[in-house]
């Protein structure tokens, strides 16, 4: 009888190990080959074919810097949508497009350094 208990316990352990291995592999491939789909009828969250071609053909580096901050829930929602669009733009040509988001309230020194680098006077307006 104890042999049967061990045999059943061993089968359960093997099944759990196999399930954990399959879940681990699925997670690995989902992370490595991550893809988003735009299920909206209008393609609201997709880049146009022309934009995809243009971004894919870039041979010079493009740097996108955002100084946007989230101001309440509406600001956070808008910032999330803007971030999603910029992520799609950067994904179209990751070798040449980089994105940096700066919160000037949380990192004022970095924001000031970038303003100087780009020659932007925040008081001019």
């Amino acid at each position: 009888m104890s042999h049967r208990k061990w045999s059943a316990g061993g089968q359960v352990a093997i099944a759990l190990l196999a399930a954990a291995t399959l879940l681990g592999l699925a997670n690995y491939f989902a992370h490595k080959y991550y893809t988003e789909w735009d299920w909206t009828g209008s393609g609201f969250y997709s880049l146009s074919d022309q934009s995809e071609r243009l971004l894919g053909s870039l041979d010079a580096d493009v740097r996108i810097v955002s100084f946007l901050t989230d101001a309440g829930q509406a600001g956070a929602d808008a910032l999330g949508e803007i971030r999603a669009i910029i992520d799609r733009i950067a994904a179209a040509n990751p070798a040449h497009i980089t994105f940096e988001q700066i919160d000037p309230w949380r990192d004022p020194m970095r924001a000031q350094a970038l303003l100087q680098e780009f020659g932007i006077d925040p008081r001019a307006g």
Side-chain angles (χ1 to χ4, degrees):
M1 186 73 159
S2 65
H3 184 348
R4 283 186 181 171
K5 286 183 182 180
W6 185 88
S7 179
Q11 289 176 352
V12 169
I14 290 172
L16 288 173
L17 182 62
T21 301
L22 286 174
L23 285 174
L25 285 171
N27 188 35
Y28 169 77
F29 285 114
H31 180 72
K32 184 173 174 81
Y33 301 105
Y34 177 74
T35 303
E36 286 185 348
W37 288 285
D38 181 0
W39 296 97
T40 61
S42 64
F44 183 77
Y45 295 104
S46 298
L47 297 176
S48 69
D49 292 338
Q50 182 179 9
S51 295
E52 291 274 353
R53 283 193 305 275
L54 174 71
L55 294 168
S57 68
L58 290 174
D59 57 0
D61 291 341
V62 174
R63 183 174 166 202
I64 302 169
V65 179
S66 167
F67 290 93
L68 298 174
T69 61
D70 58 342
Q73 188 57 41
D77 291 345
L79 190 61
E81 288 186 24
I82 291 168
R83 176 63 195 239
I85 292 168
I86 293 174
D87 285 345
R88 284 183 182 83
I89 290 170
N93 192 339
H96 289 293
I97 301 173
T98 57
F99 172 66
E100 182 177 4
Q101 183 172 338
I102 302 294
D103 184 339
W105 299 110
R106 291 189 180 137
D107 195 355
M109 293 180 69
R110 177 71 178 138
Q112 186 62 39
L114 284 169
L115 289 173
Q116 288 177 350
E117 179 183 339
F118 296 131
I120 299 171
D121 183 0
R123 294 168 296 213

